[in-house]
Amino acid sequence: MVTSEVIIAIAVGIGLAASCGFRIFVPLLVMNLAARAGQLDLASGFEWMGGSIALVAFATATILEILAYYIPWFDNLLDTVATPAAVLAGVLVSASVVGDVSPFLKWGLAVIAGGGTAAAVQGGTVLLRATSSVSTGGSGNPFVATGELLASILTSVLAIIAPIVCLVLVLFALGLILRRYAFAPTPRPPSD
């Protein structure tokens, strides 16, 4: 039986997974800090994510990731690595907060909802950065990077302090992404 605690945990997981689509390591660092402060319960087997070694690793990776997105040509290259990593991080954060359910349900939700949400958000950011690179010659990319960083921080924090609100906002944003990119009209070649 799915309880309200499980629903809240799923909302937290999906919110954190969405945040992984903006930045991979920011939500992991926020999770670590929240777990250390007693604001987030990690599922059995994932307690290591709240430890001191994880804090150092996540903080270091977060700083390096943030800086890397401000290097003009490297940001687009980084997206090729970040896309599969964001999906894996989305699965990890989703699974790490959902406890007291069958492993099948936990991992099914983590892969489909967590990985899928991270992939959709990451896909949207890749398209946004590519559009910025083409339309501004890359000069607009630092603004995109700053927006993504802020979105990752805000989404991560909101997922922990107001998970249902975060879930609603994530679903709304996913709807916008789908509407913009998946259902956009296909350009036709000019007729003679």
Side-chain angles (χ1 to χ4, degrees):
M1 183 165 115
V2 177
T3 65
S4 62
E5 290 175 1
V6 172
I7 292 169
I8 297 294
I10 291 169
V12 170
I14 292 172
L16 290 168
S19 183
C20 290
F22 293 114
R23 286 291 174 273
I24 297 164
F25 294 104
V26 167
L28 294 168
L29 178 59
V30 170
M31 280 181 64
N32 176 279
L33 296 172
R36 294 172 73 80
Q39 299 300 310
L40 181 67
D41 293 325
L42 297 171
S44 178
F46 292 93
E47 297 89 353
W48 63 270
M49 293 180 74
S52 298
I53 294 171
L55 173 62
V56 172
F58 295 153
T60 303
T62 298
I63 292 166
L64 292 173
E65 181 181 29
I66 289 167
L67 293 175
Y69 272 103
Y70 286 101
I71 299 172
W73 56 271
F74 193 65
D75 58 348
N76 287 311
L77 181 64
L78 189 59
D79 278 337
T80 60
V81 176
T83 298
V87 172
L88 291 174
V91 171
L92 178 67
V93 297
S94 296
S96 70
V97 295
V98 177
D100 296 334
V101 296
S102 74
F104 178 77
L105 179 60
K106 172 191 228 146
W107 288 104
L109 283 169
V111 170
I112 295 167
T117 300
V121 173
Q122 174 66 16
T125 64
V126 168
L127 291 171
L128 179 62
R129 187 177 335 286
T131 301
S132 172
S133 293
V134 169
S135 63
T136 69
S139 64
N141 290 13
F143 297 105
V144 172
T146 300
E148 291 171 351
L149 174 60
L150 292 174
S152 184
I153 293 168
L154 292 173
T155 306
S156 296
V157 171
L158 191 60
I160 292 168
I161 64 171
I164 299 299
V165 171
C166 184
L167 178 62
V168 169
L169 292 173
V170 165
L171 292 174
F172 178 73
L174 289 175
L176 290 176
I177 291 170
L178 279 173
R179 189 170 143 220
R180 170 72 173 110
Y181 296 108
F183 301 117
T186 306
R188 296 182 191 181
S191 59
D192 294 327

Short mmCIF file of all heavy atoms in Angstrom, two decimals, residues 63-117:
data_model
loop_
_atom_site.label_atom_id
_atom_site.label_comp_id
_atom_site.label_asym_id
_atom_site.label_seq_id
_atom_site.Cartn_x
_atom_site.Cartn_y
_atom_site.Cartn_z
N ILE A 63 31.50 22.31 -7.60
CA ILE A 63 32.31 23.48 -7.97
C ILE A 63 32.91 23.32 -9.36
O ILE A 63 32.85 24.23 -10.19
CB ILE A 63 33.41 23.73 -6.90
CG1 ILE A 63 32.78 24.19 -5.59
CG2 ILE A 63 34.43 24.76 -7.40
CD1 ILE A 63 33.70 24.15 -4.39
N LEU A 64 33.47 22.15 -9.64
CA LEU A 64 34.06 21.90 -10.95
C LEU A 64 33.02 21.96 -12.06
O LEU A 64 33.27 22.52 -13.13
CB LEU A 64 34.79 20.56 -10.97
CG LEU A 64 36.05 20.48 -10.10
CD1 LEU A 64 36.59 19.05 -10.07
CD2 LEU A 64 37.10 21.46 -10.58
N GLU A 65 31.84 21.40 -11.80
CA GLU A 65 30.78 21.42 -12.81
C GLU A 65 30.31 22.85 -13.09
O GLU A 65 30.12 23.23 -14.24
CB GLU A 65 29.61 20.56 -12.35
CG GLU A 65 28.47 20.49 -13.36
CD GLU A 65 27.29 19.67 -12.89
OE1 GLU A 65 27.05 19.59 -11.66
OE2 GLU A 65 26.60 19.11 -13.76
N ILE A 66 30.14 23.63 -12.03
CA ILE A 66 29.70 25.02 -12.21
C ILE A 66 30.71 25.79 -13.04
O ILE A 66 30.36 26.48 -14.00
CB ILE A 66 29.48 25.70 -10.84
CG1 ILE A 66 28.24 25.11 -10.16
CG2 ILE A 66 29.33 27.21 -10.99
CD1 ILE A 66 28.10 25.48 -8.69
N LEU A 67 31.98 25.67 -12.70
CA LEU A 67 33.02 26.39 -13.43
C LEU A 67 33.11 25.94 -14.88
O LEU A 67 33.29 26.77 -15.78
CB LEU A 67 34.37 26.21 -12.73
CG LEU A 67 34.49 26.85 -11.34
CD1 LEU A 67 35.84 26.50 -10.71
CD2 LEU A 67 34.30 28.36 -11.42
N ALA A 68 32.97 24.65 -15.12
CA ALA A 68 33.09 24.11 -16.48
C ALA A 68 32.05 24.69 -17.43
O ALA A 68 32.33 24.91 -18.61
CB ALA A 68 32.99 22.59 -16.45
N TYR A 69 30.86 24.97 -16.92
CA TYR A 69 29.81 25.51 -17.78
C TYR A 69 30.03 26.97 -18.15
O TYR A 69 29.29 27.51 -18.98
CB TYR A 69 28.42 25.30 -17.16
CG TYR A 69 27.84 23.96 -17.55
CD1 TYR A 69 27.84 22.89 -16.66
CD2 TYR A 69 27.30 23.76 -18.82
CE1 TYR A 69 27.32 21.66 -17.03
CE2 TYR A 69 26.78 22.54 -19.19
CZ TYR A 69 26.79 21.49 -18.29
OH TYR A 69 26.28 20.27 -18.66
N TYR A 70 31.03 27.61 -17.59
CA TYR A 70 31.34 28.99 -17.96
C TYR A 70 32.50 29.08 -18.95
O TYR A 70 32.90 30.18 -19.33
CB TYR A 70 31.63 29.84 -16.72
CG TYR A 70 30.36 30.14 -15.95
CD1 TYR A 70 30.02 29.43 -14.82
CD2 TYR A 70 29.49 31.13 -16.40
CE1 TYR A 70 28.85 29.69 -14.14
CE2 TYR A 70 28.31 31.40 -15.72
CZ TYR A 70 28.01 30.68 -14.59
OH TYR A 70 26.83 30.94 -13.92
N ILE A 71 33.01 27.95 -19.39
CA ILE A 71 34.05 27.94 -20.43
C ILE A 71 33.33 27.88 -21.77
O ILE A 71 32.61 26.92 -22.05
CB ILE A 71 35.00 26.73 -20.25
CG1 ILE A 71 35.69 26.82 -18.89
CG2 ILE A 71 36.01 26.68 -21.39
CD1 ILE A 71 36.51 25.58 -18.53
N PRO A 72 33.49 28.92 -22.61
CA PRO A 72 32.65 29.08 -23.80
C PRO A 72 32.48 27.86 -24.71
O PRO A 72 31.38 27.52 -25.07
CB PRO A 72 33.31 30.23 -24.55
CG PRO A 72 34.00 31.00 -23.50
CD PRO A 72 34.44 30.00 -22.46
N TRP A 73 33.47 27.18 -25.12
CA TRP A 73 33.29 26.05 -26.04
C TRP A 73 33.08 24.75 -25.29
O TRP A 73 32.52 23.80 -25.82
CB TRP A 73 34.50 25.92 -26.97
CG TRP A 73 35.79 25.78 -26.21
CD1 TRP A 73 36.60 26.78 -25.79
CD2 TRP A 73 36.38 24.57 -25.75
NE1 TRP A 73 37.66 26.27 -25.10
CE2 TRP A 73 37.56 24.90 -25.06
CE3 TRP A 73 36.04 23.22 -25.85
CZ2 TRP A 73 38.38 23.96 -24.46
CZ3 TRP A 73 36.87 22.28 -25.26
CH2 TRP A 73 38.03 22.66 -24.58
N PHE A 74 33.54 24.71 -24.06
CA PHE A 74 33.50 23.48 -23.29
C PHE A 74 32.09 23.15 -22.82
O PHE A 74 31.76 21.99 -22.61
CB PHE A 74 34.46 23.61 -22.09
CG PHE A 74 34.74 22.32 -21.38
CD1 PHE A 74 35.43 21.30 -22.03
CD2 PHE A 74 34.32 22.12 -20.08
CE1 PHE A 74 35.69 20.11 -21.38
CE2 PHE A 74 34.58 20.93 -19.43
CZ PHE A 74 35.27 19.92 -20.08
N ASP A 75 31.24 24.17 -22.66
CA ASP A 75 29.89 23.93 -22.16
C ASP A 75 29.08 23.02 -23.08
O ASP A 75 28.40 22.11 -22.62
CB ASP A 75 29.15 25.24 -21.89
CG ASP A 75 29.05 26.15 -23.11
OD1 ASP A 75 29.72 25.89 -24.12
OD2 ASP A 75 28.30 27.13 -23.02
N ASN A 76 29.18 23.24 -24.39
CA ASN A 76 28.45 22.37 -25.32
C ASN A 76 29.04 20.96 -25.34
O ASN A 76 28.31 19.97 -25.42
CB ASN A 76 28.47 22.96 -26.73
CG ASN A 76 27.56 24.16 -26.84
OD1 ASN A 76 26.41 24.11 -26.42
ND2 ASN A 76 28.08 25.24 -27.38
N LEU A 77 30.35 20.85 -25.26
CA LEU A 77 31.01 19.55 -25.20
C LEU A 77 30.62 18.80 -23.93
O LEU A 77 30.37 17.58 -23.95
CB LEU A 77 32.53 19.73 -25.28
CG LEU A 77 33.37 18.46 -25.26
CD1 LEU A 77 33.09 17.61 -26.49
CD2 LEU A 77 34.85 18.81 -25.21
N LEU A 78 30.53 19.53 -22.83
CA LEU A 78 30.17 18.94 -21.55
C LEU A 78 28.77 18.32 -21.59
O LEU A 78 28.52 17.32 -20.92
CB LEU A 78 30.26 19.99 -20.44
CG LEU A 78 30.12 19.53 -19.00
CD1 LEU A 78 31.20 18.51 -18.66
CD2 LEU A 78 30.23 20.72 -18.06
N ASP A 79 27.89 18.89 -22.38
CA ASP A 79 26.53 18.35 -22.48
C ASP A 79 26.51 16.92 -22.99
O ASP A 79 25.62 16.14 -22.63
CB ASP A 79 25.66 19.24 -23.38
CG ASP A 79 25.11 20.44 -22.65
OD1 ASP A 79 25.01 20.40 -21.41
OD2 ASP A 79 24.78 21.43 -23.32
N THR A 80 27.48 16.53 -23.82
CA THR A 80 27.50 15.17 -24.33
C THR A 80 27.77 14.15 -23.22
O THR A 80 27.26 13.04 -23.25
CB THR A 80 28.55 14.98 -25.45
OG1 THR A 80 29.83 15.29 -24.94
CG2 THR A 80 28.24 15.86 -26.64
N VAL A 81 28.55 14.56 -22.23
CA VAL A 81 28.82 13.70 -21.07
C VAL A 81 27.74 13.87 -20.02
O VAL A 81 27.34 12.91 -19.36
CB VAL A 81 30.21 14.04 -20.48
CG1 VAL A 81 30.47 13.23 -19.23
CG2 VAL A 81 31.30 13.82 -21.50
N ALA A 82 27.25 15.10 -19.88
CA ALA A 82 26.29 15.40 -18.82
C ALA A 82 24.94 14.73 -19.05
O ALA A 82 24.25 14.39 -18.09
CB ALA A 82 26.10 16.90 -18.70
N THR A 83 24.56 14.52 -20.28
CA THR A 83 23.23 13.95 -20.55
C THR A 83 23.07 12.55 -19.95
O THR A 83 22.16 12.33 -19.16
CB THR A 83 22.91 14.00 -22.05
OG1 THR A 83 22.90 15.38 -22.46
CG2 THR A 83 21.55 13.38 -22.34
N PRO A 84 23.94 11.59 -20.28
CA PRO A 84 23.76 10.28 -19.64
C PRO A 84 24.02 10.34 -18.13
O PRO A 84 23.38 9.61 -17.36
CB PRO A 84 24.75 9.38 -20.35
CG PRO A 84 25.70 10.27 -21.07
CD PRO A 84 25.00 11.57 -21.29
N ALA A 85 24.95 11.19 -17.70
CA ALA A 85 25.23 11.31 -16.27
C ALA A 85 24.03 11.88 -15.52
O ALA A 85 23.75 11.47 -14.39
CB ALA A 85 26.47 12.17 -16.04
N ALA A 86 23.32 12.82 -16.13
CA ALA A 86 22.12 13.40 -15.50
C ALA A 86 21.05 12.34 -15.32
O ALA A 86 20.36 12.29 -14.28
CB ALA A 86 21.60 14.56 -16.33
N VAL A 87 20.89 11.47 -16.32
CA VAL A 87 19.90 10.40 -16.22
C VAL A 87 20.26 9.46 -15.07
O VAL A 87 19.41 9.11 -14.24
CB VAL A 87 19.78 9.63 -17.55
CG1 VAL A 87 18.89 8.40 -17.40
CG2 VAL A 87 19.24 10.55 -18.65
N LEU A 88 21.53 9.06 -15.00
CA LEU A 88 21.97 8.18 -13.90
C LEU A 88 21.80 8.85 -12.55
O LEU A 88 21.36 8.22 -11.58
CB LEU A 88 23.43 7.78 -14.11
CG LEU A 88 23.68 6.84 -15.29
CD1 LEU A 88 25.18 6.62 -15.49
CD2 LEU A 88 22.96 5.52 -15.10
N ALA A 89 22.13 10.14 -12.47
CA ALA A 89 21.96 10.88 -11.21
C ALA A 89 20.48 10.97 -10.84
O ALA A 89 20.12 10.85 -9.66
CB ALA A 89 22.58 12.27 -11.32
N GLY A 90 19.62 11.17 -11.84
CA GLY A 90 18.18 11.21 -11.58
C GLY A 90 17.66 9.90 -11.01
O GLY A 90 16.84 9.88 -10.10
N VAL A 91 18.15 8.79 -11.55
CA VAL A 91 17.78 7.47 -11.03
C VAL A 91 18.29 7.32 -9.60
O VAL A 91 17.55 6.89 -8.70
CB VAL A 91 18.35 6.34 -11.93
CG1 VAL A 91 18.17 4.98 -11.28
CG2 VAL A 91 17.69 6.38 -13.30
N LEU A 92 19.53 7.70 -9.36
CA LEU A 92 20.14 7.57 -8.03
C LEU A 92 19.40 8.39 -6.98
O LEU A 92 19.06 7.88 -5.91
CB LEU A 92 21.61 7.99 -8.09
CG LEU A 92 22.37 7.96 -6.76
CD1 LEU A 92 22.51 6.53 -6.27
CD2 LEU A 92 23.73 8.61 -6.92
N VAL A 93 19.14 9.66 -7.27
CA VAL A 93 18.48 10.50 -6.25
C VAL A 93 17.06 10.03 -5.99
O VAL A 93 16.59 10.05 -4.85
CB VAL A 93 18.52 12.01 -6.58
CG1 VAL A 93 19.94 12.52 -6.64
CG2 VAL A 93 17.75 12.35 -7.84
N SER A 94 16.38 9.56 -7.02
CA SER A 94 15.01 9.06 -6.83
C SER A 94 15.01 7.82 -5.96
O SER A 94 14.20 7.70 -5.03
CB SER A 94 14.37 8.74 -8.18
OG SER A 94 14.23 9.89 -8.95
N ALA A 95 15.89 6.90 -6.24
CA ALA A 95 15.95 5.66 -5.45
C ALA A 95 16.40 5.92 -4.02
O ALA A 95 15.96 5.23 -3.10
CB ALA A 95 16.89 4.66 -6.12
N SER A 96 17.24 6.92 -3.84
CA SER A 96 17.82 7.15 -2.51
C SER A 96 16.84 7.72 -1.49
O SER A 96 17.11 7.68 -0.30
CB SER A 96 19.04 8.07 -2.62
OG SER A 96 18.64 9.38 -2.96
N VAL A 97 15.72 8.25 -1.94
CA VAL A 97 14.77 8.85 -0.98
C VAL A 97 13.50 8.04 -0.81
O VAL A 97 12.70 8.33 0.07
CB VAL A 97 14.42 10.31 -1.38
CG1 VAL A 97 15.65 11.20 -1.28
CG2 VAL A 97 13.79 10.40 -2.75
N VAL A 98 13.30 7.02 -1.65
CA VAL A 98 12.09 6.20 -1.56
C VAL A 98 12.41 4.92 -0.80
O VAL A 98 13.19 4.10 -1.27
CB VAL A 98 11.51 5.88 -2.96
CG1 VAL A 98 10.29 4.98 -2.84
CG2 VAL A 98 11.17 7.15 -3.70
N GLY A 99 11.82 4.78 0.37
CA GLY A 99 12.01 3.58 1.18
C GLY A 99 10.67 2.92 1.42
O GLY A 99 9.62 3.41 0.99
N ASP A 100 10.67 1.81 2.11
CA ASP A 100 9.44 1.11 2.51
C ASP A 100 8.51 0.76 1.36
O ASP A 100 7.28 0.81 1.50
CB ASP A 100 8.68 1.92 3.57
CG ASP A 100 9.47 2.07 4.86
OD1 ASP A 100 10.31 1.20 5.13
OD2 ASP A 100 9.24 3.06 5.57
N VAL A 101 9.07 0.46 0.21
CA VAL A 101 8.29 -0.07 -0.91
C VAL A 101 9.05 -1.25 -1.49
O VAL A 101 10.23 -1.44 -1.20
CB VAL A 101 8.03 1.00 -2.01
CG1 VAL A 101 7.18 2.14 -1.48
CG2 VAL A 101 9.31 1.51 -2.62
N SER A 102 8.38 -2.00 -2.32
CA SER A 102 9.05 -3.16 -2.93
C SER A 102 10.20 -2.67 -3.81
O SER A 102 10.12 -1.57 -4.39
CB SER A 102 8.07 -3.97 -3.77
OG SER A 102 7.77 -3.31 -4.97
N PRO A 103 11.25 -3.43 -3.93
CA PRO A 103 12.36 -3.05 -4.80
C PRO A 103 11.91 -2.82 -6.25
O PRO A 103 12.41 -1.93 -6.94
CB PRO A 103 13.34 -4.22 -4.71
CG PRO A 103 13.03 -4.86 -3.40
CD PRO A 103 11.56 -4.66 -3.18
N PHE A 104 10.95 -3.60 -6.72
CA PHE A 104 10.45 -3.44 -8.08
C PHE A 104 9.83 -2.05 -8.26
O PHE A 104 10.12 -1.36 -9.24
CB PHE A 104 9.41 -4.53 -8.38
CG PHE A 104 8.81 -4.39 -9.75
CD1 PHE A 104 9.52 -4.80 -10.88
CD2 PHE A 104 7.54 -3.86 -9.92
CE1 PHE A 104 8.97 -4.67 -12.14
CE2 PHE A 104 6.99 -3.73 -11.19
CZ PHE A 104 7.70 -4.14 -12.30
N LEU A 105 8.99 -1.64 -7.31
CA LEU A 105 8.37 -0.32 -7.38
C LEU A 105 9.41 0.78 -7.24
O LEU A 105 9.41 1.75 -8.01
CB LEU A 105 7.29 -0.16 -6.31
CG LEU A 105 6.58 1.18 -6.26
CD1 LEU A 105 5.88 1.47 -7.58
CD2 LEU A 105 5.59 1.22 -5.09
N LYS A 106 10.32 0.62 -6.30
CA LYS A 106 11.36 1.63 -6.06
C LYS A 106 12.20 1.86 -7.31
O LYS A 106 12.37 3.00 -7.76
CB LYS A 106 12.27 1.20 -4.91
CG LYS A 106 13.47 2.09 -4.73
CD LYS A 106 14.46 1.47 -3.76
CE LYS A 106 14.85 2.48 -2.80
NZ LYS A 106 15.14 2.21 -1.48
N TRP A 107 12.73 0.80 -7.89
CA TRP A 107 13.62 0.94 -9.04
C TRP A 107 12.85 1.26 -10.31
O TRP A 107 13.35 1.98 -11.19
CB TRP A 107 14.51 -0.28 -9.19
CG TRP A 107 15.53 -0.29 -8.10
CD1 TRP A 107 15.54 -1.08 -6.99
CD2 TRP A 107 16.65 0.59 -7.97
NE1 TRP A 107 16.61 -0.75 -6.18
CE2 TRP A 107 17.32 0.26 -6.76
CE3 TRP A 107 17.17 1.61 -8.75
CZ2 TRP A 107 18.46 0.92 -6.33
CZ3 TRP A 107 18.32 2.28 -8.32
CH2 TRP A 107 18.94 1.92 -7.12
N GLY A 108 11.63 0.79 -10.40
CA GLY A 108 10.79 1.17 -11.54
C GLY A 108 10.52 2.66 -11.54
O GLY A 108 10.66 3.35 -12.57
N LEU A 109 10.14 3.19 -10.38
CA LEU A 109 9.93 4.64 -10.25
C LEU A 109 11.22 5.41 -10.49
O LEU A 109 11.21 6.45 -11.15
CB LEU A 109 9.39 4.97 -8.85
CG LEU A 109 7.92 4.70 -8.60
CD1 LEU A 109 7.60 4.81 -7.12
CD2 LEU A 109 7.06 5.66 -9.41
N ALA A 110 12.31 4.90 -9.93
CA ALA A 110 13.59 5.60 -10.07
C ALA A 110 14.01 5.70 -11.53
O ALA A 110 14.43 6.77 -11.99
CB ALA A 110 14.67 4.90 -9.24
N VAL A 111 13.88 4.61 -12.25
CA VAL A 111 14.31 4.61 -13.66
C VAL A 111 13.35 5.42 -14.52
O VAL A 111 13.79 6.28 -15.30
CB VAL A 111 14.44 3.16 -14.19
CG1 VAL A 111 14.64 3.13 -15.68
CG2 VAL A 111 15.60 2.45 -13.48
N ILE A 112 12.05 5.15 -14.38
CA ILE A 112 11.09 5.80 -15.26
C ILE A 112 10.86 7.26 -14.87
O ILE A 112 11.04 8.17 -15.69
CB ILE A 112 9.76 5.02 -15.29
CG1 ILE A 112 10.00 3.63 -15.91
CG2 ILE A 112 8.69 5.78 -16.06
CD1 ILE A 112 8.86 2.65 -15.72
N ALA A 113 10.48 7.50 -13.62
CA ALA A 113 10.16 8.87 -13.20
C ALA A 113 11.44 9.69 -12.97
O ALA A 113 11.56 10.81 -13.46
CB ALA A 113 9.31 8.86 -11.94
N GLY A 114 12.39 9.12 -12.24
CA GLY A 114 13.62 9.86 -11.94
C GLY A 114 14.50 10.05 -13.16
O GLY A 114 14.84 11.17 -13.53
N GLY A 115 14.85 8.96 -13.81
CA GLY A 115 15.70 9.05 -15.00
C GLY A 115 15.01 9.78 -16.14
O GLY A 115 15.63 10.58 -16.84
N GLY A 116 13.72 9.52 -16.33
CA GLY A 116 12.97 10.18 -17.39
C GLY A 116 12.86 11.68 -17.18
O GLY A 116 13.01 12.46 -18.12
N THR A 117 12.60 12.08 -15.94
CA THR A 117 12.51 13.52 -15.64
C THR A 117 13.85 14.20 -15.85
O THR A 117 13.92 15.26 -16.47
CB THR A 117 12.02 13.73 -14.19
OG1 THR A 117 10.73 13.13 -14.05
CG2 THR A 117 11.94 15.19 -13.83
#
